[in-house]
Amino acid sequence: MKHEFGVKVRFSETDALGHVSNISYFIYLEDARIEFFRKLGANLGMENWHFIVANVSCDFIQQAHFDDHITIESTVSKIGNTSFHIKHELYTDKGLVARGKAVVVYFDFDAQKPIPVPTEFKKALETYVEKESKEV
């Protein structure tokens, strides 16, 4: 199963060359991740926040432009004891424009250390594990 999230490119997200600025893709990935967490049933209140992004990357395939509609498809490529990997693919009507990956650590901010991903959340993540997933 894939989680889908859509964005419409605003003029302010483009650069002097007229295409989406590279930094904007990371904002799109963050928005998609947060909505994915919400769909998975995560408590997103700051008093209960348990997520740290340990690594994020994005490969740019082709340009996107102002007013394009981007669909971000998110899947889970790996689930560990205290972390998981999310794979993102970003599409416009022109096809694949970018691929992203995030390594997310489940974290106890009071103790300042990673903690095991809760069983319920892990089960929710498992429904989005891509079959024969290939790392980005």
Side-chain angles (χ1 to χ4, degrees), residues 13-116:
E13 296 164 344
T14 62
D15 61 19
L17 298 174
H19 61 256
V20 174
S21 171
N22 58 26
I23 193 66
S24 295
Y25 287 93
F26 291 93
I27 295 167
Y28 302 155
L29 295 178
E30 178 185 46
D31 286 346
R33 245 187 341 269
I34 300 245
E35 290 307 313
F36 187 35
F37 293 164
R38 190 180 319 280
K39 175 78 173 183
L40 294 170
N43 184 333
L44 299 180
M46 289 297 107
E47 66 282 353
N48 293 310
W49 193 264
H50 286 287
F51 304 107
I52 288 183
V53 175
N55 181 279
V56 66
S57 63
C58 188
D59 294 323
F60 309 106
I61 310 301
Q62 64 175 311
Q63 298 178 51
H65 298 88
F66 167 67
D67 227 19
D68 279 351
H69 291 270
I70 299 176
T71 299
I72 304 162
E73 295 180 353
S74 302
T75 56
V76 176
S77 60
K78 181 179 178 182
I79 304 172
N81 185 42
T82 60
S83 66
F84 52 94
H85 297 199
I86 300 174
K87 181 177 132 183
H88 304 283
E89 292 184 337
L90 295 80
Y91 295 92
T92 67
D93 60 354
K94 295 174 279 195
L96 181 67
V97 294
R99 285 188 186 99
K101 177 182 167 189
V103 177
V104 181
V105 176
Y106 207 80
F107 197 78
D108 181 329
F109 284 90
D110 292 331
Q112 286 294 296
K113 65 179 186 176
I115 57 175

Side-chain angles (χ1 to χ4, degrees), residues 110-135:
D110 292 331
Q112 286 294 296
K113 65 179 186 176
I115 57 175
V117 177
T119 302
E120 279 187 38
F121 193 72
K122 194 177 271 193
K123 284 180 184 177
L125 285 169
E126 287 169 354
T127 65
Y128 289 90
V129 170
E130 190 177 49
K131 302 296 181 211
E132 298 182 27
S133 176
K134 294 183 175 90
E135 291 291 319

